[in-house]
Amino acid sequence: MTFPNGLCAFPITPADHAGRVDIAALRRLVARLSDAQVDSIGLLGSTGVYMYLTRDERRRAVEAALDEIGSRTPVVVGIGALRTDEAVGLAQDARAIGAAAGLLSAVSYTPLADEEVFVHFSTVARESGLPIVIYDNPGTTRFRFTPELVARLAAVPGIVAIKNPGWEPDETARHLAGQRGIVPAAFSIGCSGDWMATETMIAGADTWYSVLAGLFPEVCLGIVTAAQHGDAAEARRLDAALAPLWNLFRQFSSLRVVYALADLLDICHVEPPRPILPLPDAAKQQVAETLARLPAGITR
């Protein structure tokens, strides 16, 4: 397959305290992103709290999203699970419903060795038939993909892309060049870590997997478009306008902040799944004040 490069926007997954997905709210969220013409939607990513939802609820979420947007926007679905057989089942569900790809992390209670991760990913790709995006998320999983492991996995049929953690600006070019040298030409190299992504896209990454784009797709699309057209100054100008939000992300975590933003913007009134608590009132007021100071047009 040709992986949908560009901007991959990650919305929250609205759900009640029992983990039941609010289908109407989710449909509104993905419709906003599709209408904004993001390149793809990252459903049930970390921002979409995939690990806190049952298989049935994850299936309901994918069905609702695909029913809402059809084939207008490719959907990349989080399929991570503690067990390989569970990840295979989730990937099969996503493929049957019509997802474009699955986002797979190396999540485990027991620390994993490289060979265990290789077998896990290879098995999910082979048995599901769903194109797989490697999700390198060491901050959560405590597992980091080595260049050697990335090279091995990139050679596996059906593993088509990688979502890298954020790189500091002075390391971006080196990391990208090193990864380009070990993967096939068509293999998509992407980045997360919203506050570091602009420099990575300017340096030539293929995809920005963005938390903020799940709420503010237009400004994030502006950054990606500018970077793709070689207009680094414009990409950096837009990124600088978002600096107050990046500070909040670093201070409180992007997940808690986007839940607060969704509420303040009257987009979706839900709380993150327990044991994660919503921001306390003082922090939410800080988010509200930051939101009020953003330049006009950012919050679209």
Side-chain angles (χ1 to χ4, degrees):
M1 67 164 286
T2 300
F3 187 79
N5 292 323
L7 179 67
C8 186
F10 282 74
I12 63 174
T13 305
D16 63 19
H17 285 298
R20 179 81 171 170
V21 175
D22 183 338
I23 295 301
L26 179 63
R27 291 175 73 113
R28 290 195 301 271
L29 283 165
V30 298
R32 291 178 73 249
L33 301 179
S34 185
D35 290 345
Q37 299 184 344
V38 299
D39 297 289
S40 60
I41 294 172
L43 193 69
L44 300 175
S46 294
T47 303
V49 296
Y50 69 102
M51 289 298 289
Y52 297 87
L53 300 171
T54 67
R55 179 175 177 179
D56 285 345
E57 289 304 305
R58 289 162 77 163
R59 185 188 298 113
R60 288 181 68 238
V62 180
E63 288 172 343
L66 269 295
D67 183 63
E68 178 65 33
I69 64 175
S71 59
R72 297 197 309 273
T73 307
V75 175
V76 180
V77 175
I79 55 170
L82 288 171
R83 292 173 57 92
T84 300
D85 58 331
E86 291 177 350
V88 169
L90 291 162
Q92 291 171 336
D93 290 347
R95 182 188 181 204
I97 297 166
L103 181 65
L104 183 58
S105 59
V107 62
S108 179
Y109 183 84
T110 299
L112 297 173
D114 282 14
E115 186 62 22
E116 291 168 327
V117 172
F118 178 80
V119 172
H120 178 63
F121 275 67
S122 301
T123 301
V124 175
R126 182 181 66 252
E127 295 189 9
S128 73
L130 181 71
I132 300 298
V133 180
I134 300 167
Y135 185 8
D136 189 359
N137 186 19
T140 296
T141 64
R142 302 297 186 265
F143 181 88
R144 184 175 291 277
F145 286 78
T146 64
E148 294 76 16
L149 181 56
V150 171
R152 288 182 69 196
L153 288 170
V156 173
I159 298 181
V160 299
I162 185 168
K163 177 181 185 283
N164 288 293
W167 294 318
E168 294 297 335
D170 58 348
E171 298 179 345
T172 292
R174 177 175 62 83
H175 281 295
L176 271 178
Q179 206 161 75
R180 290 275 185 222
I182 60 174
V183 300
F187 191 86
S188 174
I189 298 177
C191 60
S192 55
D194 275 9
W195 55 89
M196 294 179 278
T198 294
E199 291 303 320
T200 310
M201 293 303 295
I202 289 171
D206 299 307
T207 304
W208 177 14
Y209 298 89
S210 174
V211 174
L212 189 65
L215 288 179
F216 302 159
E218 293 189 11
V219 65
C220 297
L221 272 170
I223 290 171
V224 169
T225 301
Q228 290 174 331
H229 287 83
D231 191 349
E234 174 63 6
R236 290 178 176 130
R237 183 189 71 80
L238 293 171
D239 180 69
L242 298 173
L245 287 175
W246 302 152
N247 290 336
L248 292 175
F249 277 20
R250 286 190 290 263
Q251 185 175 357
F252 299 118
S253 84
S254 59
L255 177 67
R256 295 179 179 88
V257 172
V258 293
Y259 268 87
L261 286 169
D263 182 57
L264 290 164
L265 292 165
D266 201 26
I267 293 172
C268 185
H269 302 286
V270 291
E271 295 183 352
R274 300 294 173 92
I276 304 167
L277 295 175
L279 289 178
D281 289 344
K284 191 169 183 180
Q285 180 61 33
Q286 189 175 339
V287 175
E289 291 169 357
T290 299
L291 188 62
R293 292 194 299 267
L294 290 176
I298 291 291
T299 58
R300 295 202 306 265

